Amino acid sequence: MSNIPITFVTPWYRSFAGGAEVAVRTLAEQLSKRGFYVQVLTTCCCSPFDNWWQNKLPSGVEKVNGVIVRRFPVKCQGEEIYHEINHRIIQRLEIEEKSQRQFVENSINSEELINYAKNNTQGHLVIGIPYTQGLIYSLIQSLEGRASIMPCFHDEPQFRWITTAEMLGWSRHIFFLTEEEKSLAIKYYGNYFGRKIIETAVIGVGVELPIDIDSLLLNSSVVTRITSCYHLPKKFFIYVGRKDIGKNILTLIQFFKKYRANGGEANLVFLGGGDINLVPLEDGFLDLGFVPETDKYIIISQALALINLSQNESFSLVLMEAWLCEIPVIVHEGGKVTTAHCRNTGGGISISSSEEFEAALKVLSIKNKGKIIGRYGKRYVQRNYSWDCVIESFLRGAYQG
């Protein structure tokens, strides 16, 4: 099996806080460590936070942690059309089929990358991720049944578009990250594709911290240094990831402001990229942006809980990382995947209103209460999302049919 080359195709491949990119990067590196030939085809765009129609990184080949990474120039046309339709999506307006196709056509793409994939991946297992980007649509369409998809579905307008149905129909294999993602696909597309979806593999995402967090936390000087360096508040909750309205961050800030107005003493700390202007410039809020990886996990471990109110998650890696740090989580009941994780683990609380949010913060502010809940989550991650377990599921899905 290890003789079959594996090619991942994804719009961005770098060290930024994006769930789909992290899923690709970690899976590619783990497969490489196990003796597989693995390459990634990606673009010269740095990240989702940069202009998708501009090339910031040089094209060419590099080796990153054992994985061959090939970068290709992006398509530079179509930005205005994309933003016009995206605005209509945000306004929750009906998007007709013509506009669906225009949106996908003018999303991030690379003709050079697609041509390379067509001419140089015969006999490879080719996997595109995520489904929302034009690059992946072009890949699945151009390789005519040779390419597979790891869609990262959640319930949003694009999920129900004709272009999504076409990608599923053209894909050789489909890889789901959670049972909830698969159930969503079966509910909407089961009658169209039958066994192709119903018998599809659920592989999960391998989650292992790159550091020995337990040993580090035993060294009080390390914790003291991090606390002092970043001016961490005595009591704080944490948000990790992209600061983006699509992540329901405005609701999080609104709820947290109300908690503070009602006498709540804890602060809210943000880690990661995105729109820094979304974080209020007032007491109770602190944005640290990107920090070194070791610092990140130590900071998370000092929080009362991690909060992720996004309702559009296909896996939510940050929940798993928090649990490995023995920290509980707070999620929104509207997020089916994150709510299911909490229900399955007992490692978190799901909320649906500001009152429930405030009650959850108060519960998790009780000394040692959060640690007990966080340990339930840690056991769940170690049992279900070790890399050996995920690789086994991935290979089972890759070699069926």
Side-chain angles (χ1 to χ4, degrees):
M1 286 185 179
S2 60
N3 292 328
I4 296 181
I6 300 172
T7 296
F8 290 101
V9 179
T10 191
W12 306 281
Y13 192 88
R14 230 173 168 222
S15 299
F16 66 88
E21 190 272 344
V22 171
V24 171
R25 176 158 46 86
T26 53
L27 180 56
E29 290 175 1
Q30 290 292 327
L31 287 165
S32 177
K33 287 178 182 178
R34 287 163 170 79
F36 288 83
Y37 171 88
V38 184
Q39 68 172 350
V40 173
L41 309 185
T42 189
T43 75
C44 296
C45 179
C46 287
S47 78
F49 317 127
D50 291 270
N51 187 301
W52 296 2
W53 300 266
Q54 291 180 6
N55 296 297
K56 294 286 184 70
L57 298 171
S59 60
V61 186
E62 60 179 323
K63 202 162 191 177
V64 181
N65 293 334
V67 178
I68 297 168
V69 179
R70 303 181 190 275
R71 296 190 185 277
F72 300 85
V74 292
K75 171 186 171 185
C76 297
Q77 299 79 35
E79 182 175 1
E80 289 185 7
I81 296 172
Y82 175 88
H83 286 308
E84 177 188 331
I85 299 170
N86 193 47
H87 178 73
R88 288 158 55 192
I89 295 172
I90 293 171
Q91 298 299 314
R92 300 184 179 180
L93 300 175
E94 185 73 22
I95 308 297
E96 70 281 3
E97 181 179 329
K98 179 182 177 182
S99 293
Q100 293 174 16
R101 296 190 181 282
Q102 288 178 324
F103 181 87
V104 171
E105 180 184 343
N106 293 288
S107 176
I108 187 167
N109 217 324
S110 171
E111 186 176 346
E112 288 188 34
L113 187 156
I114 299 303
N115 286 335
Y116 181 91
K118 285 170 65 176
N119 297 322
N120 297 277
T121 60
Q122 291 289 343
H124 289 215
L125 174 63
V126 182
I127 303 173
I129 174 176
Y131 86 102
T132 47
Q133 305 304 337
L135 177 69
I136 308 308
Y137 181 89
S138 297
L139 174 81
I140 303 294
Q141 182 185 45
S142 299
L143 267 63
E144 300 175 343
R146 285 203 296 115
S148 303
I149 191 168
M150 193 176 289
C152 302
F153 282 145
H154 43 262
D155 197 356
E156 60 185 345
Q158 293 98 306
F159 170 69
R160 294 177 288 276
W161 285 4
I162 182 65
T163 48
T164 302
E166 289 173 346
M167 277 190 281
L168 289 174
W170 294 329
S171 292
R172 180 183 174 191
H173 300 102
I174 306 166
F175 297 92
F176 293 121
L177 300 183
T178 64
E179 290 289 348
E180 289 71 31
E181 182 190 6
K182 180 176 178 177
S183 296
L184 178 65
I186 290 173
K187 179 180 178 181
Y188 197 79
Y189 290 108
N191 288 336
Y192 294 97
F193 299 112
R195 292 176 59 186
K196 183 172 185 178
I197 287 183
I198 293 169
E199 297 178 0
T200 284
V202 175
I203 67 169
V205 174
V207 188
E208 295 174 359
L209 297 186
I211 61 170
D212 185 349
I213 186 69
D214 295 330
S215 296
L216 281 171
L217 294 179
L218 289 174
N219 188 336
S220 59
S221 64
V222 171
V223 176
T224 300
R225 178 183 65 80
I226 294 297
T227 301
S228 173
C229 176
Y230 294 102
H231 306 289
L232 294 178
K234 187 175 181 181
K235 290 184 176 181
F236 67 94
F237 294 87
I238 195 161
Y239 171 89
V240 180
R242 191 169 73 248
K243 293 178 282 289
D244 187 303
I245 58 173
K247 294 291 187 179
N248 211 15
I249 201 164
L250 295 181
T251 299
L252 166 58
I253 290 169
Q254 175 192 344
F255 284 3
F256 206 86
K257 280 185 174 182
K258 188 173 180 182
Y259 156 79
R260 293 275 299 180
N262 289 336
E265 297 178 353
N267 287 241
L268 181 58
V269 173
F270 293 81
L271 289 181
D275 187 352
I276 61 174
N277 297 312
L278 293 175
V279 180
L281 297 174
E282 60 186 68
D283 287 345
F285 297 89
L286 175 63
D287 182 11
L288 298 179
F290 287 110
V291 301
E293 200 163 45
T294 298
D295 295 5
K296 167 188 165 181
Y297 295 117
I298 294 174
I299 292 169
I300 291 173
S301 73
Q302 300 307 298
L304 294 167
L306 178 137
I307 307 175
N308 179 9
L309 301 189
S310 171
Q311 299 180 55
N312 296 322
E313 298 294 307
S314 57
F315 182 72
S316 194
L317 184 65
V318 293
L319 262 61
M320 308 298 157
E321 293 179 329
W323 282 328
L324 288 179
C325 293
E326 297 188 359
I327 298 301
V329 302
I330 299 172
V331 303
H332 197 289
E333 277 187 10
K336 292 186 178 180
V337 169
T338 51
T339 297
H341 281 318
C342 288
R343 185 174 61 245
N344 293 337
T345 65
I349 301 172
S350 61
I351 60 93
S352 60
S353 66
S354 61
E355 291 76 19
E356 291 179 1
F357 179 80
E358 193 167 339
L361 297 189
K362 288 180 179 178
V363 167
L364 296 178
S365 294
I366 300 171
K367 187 176 181 181
N368 296 327
K369 181 76 171 178
K371 280 288 184 185
I372 295 170
I373 296 173
R375 288 187 187 119
Y376 291 134
K378 184 175 185 176
R379 286 197 289 269
Y380 170 78
V381 178
Q382 291 174 332
R383 186 171 62 247
N384 293 283
Y385 298 111
S386 70
W387 270 114
D388 285 343
C389 179
V390 169
I391 294 294
E392 182 181 340
S393 298
F394 172 78
L395 294 177
R396 194 163 53 241
Y399 293 103
Q400 70 181 18

